[in-house]
Amino acid sequence: MFMKSPITLSALTLTTLLSLGGVVASHAAVQNPPADDSSMGSNQPVTDSWITTKVKAELASTDGVKSMDVSVTTINGVVTLTGVLANDIAVQKAVAVAQSVKGVKKVDASGLRSKD
């Protein structure tokens, strides 16, 4: 009868658990993204990179705003929008979208203008 040594089995078990742990952690992050609704009561801080990603995602789903024409950066909760959009309404929509994202303290749209 063939037997594995306890050390080999322990190392194999540990390796398997660690690799599964990474999958489980990644799956949990996808299934439970940061809440964008303050009514949910999350005490987790909202990071600048999360704000930037959320603003870009919201711009991409906003009618009349070509999100590829807008550059978004966030530093200490201040979102800076730069680029050229088709008209003043699109600029106003982009600013409104950015202001609506959780964690945004201020929106600087001085670098965002319209073609009109």
Side-chain angles (χ1 to χ4, degrees), residues 74-98:
T74 308
I75 300 174
N76 297 325
V78 177
V79 174
T80 302
L81 303 175
T82 56
V84 180
L85 293 173
N87 53 48
D88 288 334
I89 293 173
V91 170
Q92 291 170 5
K93 283 183 176 183
V95 171
V97 163

Side-chain angles (χ1 to χ4, degrees), residues 29-52:
V30 170
Q31 294 299 313
N32 302 307
D36 63 350
D37 183 357
S38 59
S39 68
M40 296 184 82
S42 173
N43 292 328
Q44 295 294 320
V46 177
T47 64
D48 287 342
S49 60
W50 183 86
I51 291 170
T52 297

